[in-house]
Amino acid sequence: MKAIVTVMLKNGVLDPQGEAVKSALGGLGFSGVNGVRQGKVIELDLADGTDAAQVDDMCNRLLVNAVIESYTVDIL
């Protein structure tokens, strides 16, 4: 079983990496990009019996900085 955790900065939090990507895309001639937010994806290979509550606990205790980041979990 796998869990995919997608972590993004919360709205209103400055995203300098996203701004750098947006600027670079503009420099390459891609004028249609109004904004970029950069995040991370964490893929967890889980043992049988691991439930969504445990994955949520992993996120809250280690994987996500809840002050500035939000996350979603997809269990496959």
Side-chain angles (χ1 to χ4, degrees):
M1 181 168 66
K2 288 190 184 285
I4 306 297
V5 180
T6 304
V7 183
M8 297 293 295
L9 290 171
K10 290 181 178 179
N11 289 333
V13 175
L14 183 63
D15 186 352
Q17 287 180 312
E19 287 300 315
V21 170
K22 179 184 169 208
S23 177
L25 288 171
L28 292 172
F30 295 103
S31 60
V33 179
N34 293 326
V36 175
R37 302 289 287 170
Q38 186 165 327
K40 59 187 172 185
V41 175
I42 303 165
E43 182 178 304
L44 301 170
D45 188 12
L46 303 171
D48 290 339
T50 306
D51 62 19
Q54 289 173 304
V55 176
D56 192 52
D57 194 31
M58 292 175 201
C59 290
N60 289 315
R61 294 178 64 185
L62 178 67
L63 302 176
V64 177
N65 179 346
V67 173
I68 62 169
E69 296 174 322
S70 61
Y71 67 95
T72 60
V73 176
D74 293 311
I75 306 244
L76 310 174

